[in-house]
């Protein structure tokens, strides 16, 4: 299966490249999501068997001040990509987010009512709608709290701060499922292959790690795994200033993903161990 991936240096795209060395990863210089029609031309020129949209505008706070720009990247570009892929019969796996929900009543099932409270979630929800409207085989894969040994993510930040500080103040009233990027990469490839075999599997799915935890509990697990002495002090979201509202309960119900593609929720604790070892040069 010839897979075309939008994204190359991001943590998910890098893990897809590891899992499938034959995948073609497109960086910004080859396909800039700020140029939707250019992205469509990239699909048409390469004629893939499947497309994975692994790149996005992910600056949650930045989207509040630049929603128009975020909408181009998160909605207009996936729309153009999905239309180009549909024209050649190639399924699309579009990675989305738990932020499309209000974030106050998880765990959310794929067909639960959406209602993003912020610009980032609004633009991602528009992207989902556009991918569905393109008319081709597709899997919209919502995920949460993605981490790896690359790029900017919570685990890497905690490892750095845990080595520098005695006390870390981390939000303890937001709950979700940390997701290893390596496991998410496998899920994307599995969904793409499944859609190639059976386009009727098209739909919206959830894939996040287990067990569900708070950010503070996750931070404590990181300190323990890395043998760092920093103490984690739980704080309320109200004490953590940010431009965008964060969901208090973004847990995702992933049962339909297992039924359709045989993908069980990954244990983030195992993924955390892999990331810590890689960060320290053991992988």
């Amino acid at each position: 299966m010839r897979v075309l991936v939008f994204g190359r240096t991001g943590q998910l795209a890098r893990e897809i490249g590891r899992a499938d060395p034959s995948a073609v990863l497109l960086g910004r210089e080859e396909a800039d999501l700020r140029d939707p029609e250019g992205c469509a031309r990239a699909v048409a020129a390469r004629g893939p068997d499947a497309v994975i949209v692994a790149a996005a505008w992910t600056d949650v706070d930045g989207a509040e001040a630049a929603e128009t720009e975020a909408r181009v990247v998160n909605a207009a570009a996936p729309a153009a990509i999905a239309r180009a892929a549909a024209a050649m019969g190639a399924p699309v796996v579009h990675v989305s987010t738990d932020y499309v929900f209000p974030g106050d009543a998880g765990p959310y099932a794929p067909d639960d009512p959406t209602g993003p409270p912020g610009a980032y979630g609004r633009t991602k929800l528009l992207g989902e709608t556009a991918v569905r409207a393109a008319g081709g085989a597709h899997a919209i894969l919502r995920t949460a709290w993605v981490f790896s040994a690359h790029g900017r993510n919570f685990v890497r930040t905690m490892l750095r701060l845990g080595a520098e500080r005695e006390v870390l103040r981390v939000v303890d009233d937001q709950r979700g499922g940390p997701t290893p990027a390596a496991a998410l990469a496998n899920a994307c490839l599995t969904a793409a292959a499944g859609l190639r075999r059976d386009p009727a599997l098209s739909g919206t799915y959830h894939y996040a790690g287990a067990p569900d935890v708070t950010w503070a509990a996750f931070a404590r697990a990181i300190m323990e795994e890395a043998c760092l002495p920093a103490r984690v002090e739980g704080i309320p979201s109200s004490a953590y200033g940010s431009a965008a509202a964060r969901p208090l309960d973004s847990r995702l119900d992933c049962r339909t993903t297992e039924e359709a593609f045989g993908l069980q929720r990954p244990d983030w604790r195992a993924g955390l161990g892999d990331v810590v070892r890689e960060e320290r040069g053991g992988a």
Side-chain angles (χ1 to χ4, degrees):
M1 182 175 66
R2 294 169 297 135
V3 179
L4 181 66
V5 181
F6 282 84
R8 186 172 66 194
T9 59
Q11 53 181 339
L12 175 56
R14 290 183 65 153
E15 293 296 343
I16 292 172
R18 280 181 169 183
D20 181 3
S22 68
V24 176
L25 310 182
L26 298 181
R28 182 175 297 178
E29 67 281 2
E30 298 162 298
D32 191 335
L33 269 66
R34 295 173 298 183
D35 176 15
E37 293 311 312
C39 293
R41 290 192 294 272
V43 175
R46 287 165 176 83
D49 295 321
V51 178
I52 300 174
V53 184
W57 178 299
T58 57
D59 181 356
V60 175
D61 289 329
E64 294 297 315
E67 187 166 355
T68 298
E69 293 89 338
R71 190 182 303 120
V72 172
V73 173
N74 287 346
I81 291 166
R83 288 193 296 266
M88 62 181 58
V92 172
V93 176
H94 178 60
V95 180
S96 192
T97 173
D98 56 322
Y99 276 64
V100 302
F101 292 109
D104 58 359
Y108 290 100
D111 58 355
D112 280 343
T114 54
Y120 168 65
R122 287 192 294 268
T123 63
K124 290 297 288 182
L125 185 59
L126 286 171
E128 291 185 7
T129 301
V131 169
R132 295 186 193 100
H138 65 274
I140 293 164
L141 199 59
R142 294 175 181 146
T143 190
W145 298 23
V146 180
F147 68 91
S148 74
H150 313 287
R152 297 176 59 186
N153 61 71
F154 184 78
V155 170
R156 298 193 76 205
T157 298
M158 289 297 102
L159 289 173
R160 174 175 56 82
L161 295 179
E164 299 171 354
R165 303 179 184 178
E166 293 182 358
V167 179
L168 303 179
R169 301 178 75 240
V170 182
V171 169
D172 203 21
D173 59 359
Q174 297 175 19
R175 191 170 183 82
T179 310
L184 180 59
N186 175 69
C188 289
L189 291 166
T190 299
L195 289 168
R196 286 286 297 173
R197 293 190 300 269
D198 184 3
L201 290 172
S202 291
T204 303
Y205 298 93
H206 290 170
Y207 187 77
D212 295 314
V213 289
T214 66
W215 284 115
F218 189 24
R220 294 184 186 104
I222 295 167
M223 296 303 107
E224 181 178 356
E225 182 66 38
C227 298
L228 292 172
R231 178 174 59 85
V232 175
E233 175 186 324
I235 61 172
S237 296
S238 58
Y240 181 80
S242 62
R246 263 61 174 181
L248 293 180
D249 187 352
S250 64
R251 293 173 296 152
L252 296 175
D253 184 334
C254 304
R255 287 176 292 181
T256 59
T257 311
E258 182 174 358
E259 293 167 3
F261 300 109
L263 291 164
Q264 296 183 340
R265 295 181 66 183
D267 188 330
W268 59 260
R269 294 165 296 191
L272 175 61
D274 292 339
V275 167
V276 169
R277 284 189 291 274
E278 183 171 356
E279 277 280 314
R280 294 181 168 175

